[in-house]
Amino acid sequence: MNKKSNLLYHLYFGAFLFYMFAPLAIMGGAAFNDNKLPSVYPWKGFTERWFVDLMNDQVMWTSLRNTILVALAVVIISLPIGTAGAILVNSIAGRVRAVLYVVMVAPILMPGAVIGISTLLFWNNVSVPPGLHLSVLGQVSYIAAFVMLLVLARLQSFDQALEEAALDLGASHAQVLRRVLLPHLSPALYAGAAIAFFQSIENFNVTLFTRGTSNTLTVYVFSKVRSGITPTINALALMLIAVTAILALVYELRRRRQAKIEAAREAEARRAEEAMAI
């Protein structure tokens, strides 16, 4: 890389970081500005009252609780559905596989409003009233596809001979699934659970049509914006970013620690093999 290319690379990288983090920095600053408008300009002094107002907002806490409950339910339902779909798609071949794959992935490509309206109409026809339970069912209808794609990618590296060997040794299909296949799929299952959780947390379109009279966090924020946005929204956003950053940091530290443990085990296994060879 020559000097000119290196300069362009650094300029591009700096512009990219600025584009990503400048709005977040302004939003974070506005959360501490003693100004009724959610802006850092004009600066009217440092205050923590927006965080105090947020803590006293019981509607927000109820909405946050509903959001977490819905997200956990979506994870619990999406994981088995997505995993079963991936195993099914991986076990067949030919045109049937292609058709089944397209059908299962199609919900990802649909607009959220379409999924929300169709979910509401379908379940109303079978006398199921709207509510958070309907939000869960609507979100699962497309979030399970994300889980399926992750598990399907992991299945590409699975050696089918391991299943056959376990069955030849007398294991039942349930034992093969529990002791051979699921341990291999565990990284994809963890990733699928995380994606399902965060997809549900940020979902708005499906939830808006199916929630009934209950609120979730995204709907609460939308209602606040409609009624007149205040810096409490900035305080809420700053808290969510802080929680997300802490979780990402914990995950990264845990991942590095696990990588070191696995590297140490591999090194110990190599030393044992070398000792046996001698």
Side-chain angles (χ1 to χ4, degrees), residues 23 25 44 61 67-68 75 94 120 131 140 144 186-187 198 203 212 244 273 277:
K44 294 188 177 180
W61 288 111
T67 300
I68 293 175
V75 171
L120 181 65
V140 167
S186 58
F198 288 110
N203 181 270
T244 304
E273 290 179 356

Side-chain angles (χ1 to χ4, degrees), residues 7-262:
L7 177 62
L8 289 175
Y9 168 77
H10 283 91
L11 287 175
Y12 170 77
F13 190 66
F16 176 76
L17 292 179
F18 178 81
Y19 176 77
M20 290 288 292
F21 294 106
L24 299 179
I26 293 174
M27 180 202 65
F32 296 100
N33 187 9
D34 192 9
N35 188 342
K36 291 183 179 180
L37 297 176
S39 172
V40 292
Y41 182 81
W43 183 261
K44 294 188 177 180
F46 182 86
T47 182
E48 298 174 352
R49 66 167 171 155
W50 307 121
F51 291 91
V52 176
D53 290 347
L54 185 64
M55 293 298 169
N56 294 328
D57 191 344
Q58 293 303 317
V59 178
M60 190 281 292
W61 288 111
T62 303
S63 303
L64 180 61
R65 183 202 62 188
N66 291 340
T67 300
I68 293 175
L69 291 176
V70 169
L72 291 176
V74 169
V75 171
I76 292 172
I77 300 174
S78 296
L79 273 184
I81 292 178
T83 304
I87 294 174
L88 176 62
V89 171
N90 189 63
S91 62
I92 58 178
R95 292 183 178 179
V96 177
R97 174 190 172 121
V99 172
L100 186 61
Y101 179 84
V102 170
V103 169
M104 299 187 73
V105 173
I108 296 178
L109 306 177
M110 290 185 184
V114 173
I115 296 177
I117 294 172
S118 60
T119 301
L120 181 65
L121 293 177
F122 173 78
W123 288 103
N124 274 348
N125 285 332
V126 292
S127 302
V128 176
L132 293 179
H133 56 285
L134 215 57
S135 298
V136 172
L137 296 177
Q139 292 180 22
V140 167
S141 65
Y142 79 96
I143 290 178
F146 287 106
V147 178
M148 188 204 73
L149 291 176
L150 288 170
V151 176
L152 192 59
R154 182 67 177 173
L155 279 172
Q156 304 305 313
S157 62
F158 181 67
D159 187 359
Q160 299 288 340
L162 293 176
E163 280 188 342
E164 297 172 1
L167 292 172
D168 290 341
L169 292 173
S172 64
H173 287 282
Q175 289 174 323
V176 171
L177 175 66
R178 189 173 67 253
R179 298 188 178 182
V180 179
L181 186 56
L182 289 183
H184 177 77
L185 297 179
S186 58
L189 293 177
Y190 289 133
I195 287 179
F197 184 80
F198 288 110
Q199 280 283 333
S200 176
I201 289 285
E202 70 173 9
N203 181 270
F204 173 74
N205 291 330
V206 176
T207 306
L208 182 65
F209 290 102
T210 57
R211 66 188 173 90
T213 57
S214 302
N215 267 345
T216 62
L217 193 60
T218 52
V219 176
Y220 163 80
V221 172
F222 177 68
S223 65
K224 294 286 286 186
V225 172
R226 288 183 61 190
S227 61
I229 190 169
T230 67
T232 55
I233 295 297
N234 299 83
L236 174 62
L238 187 61
M239 291 175 64
L240 292 176
I241 291 173
V243 171
T244 304
I246 291 172
L247 291 177
L249 180 62
V250 170
Y251 170 79
E252 181 63 19
L253 291 175
R254 184 178 180 278
R255 187 190 67 79
R256 291 188 179 190
R257 179 173 174 271
Q258 190 68 28
K260 286 183 179 179
I261 293 175
E262 292 180 358

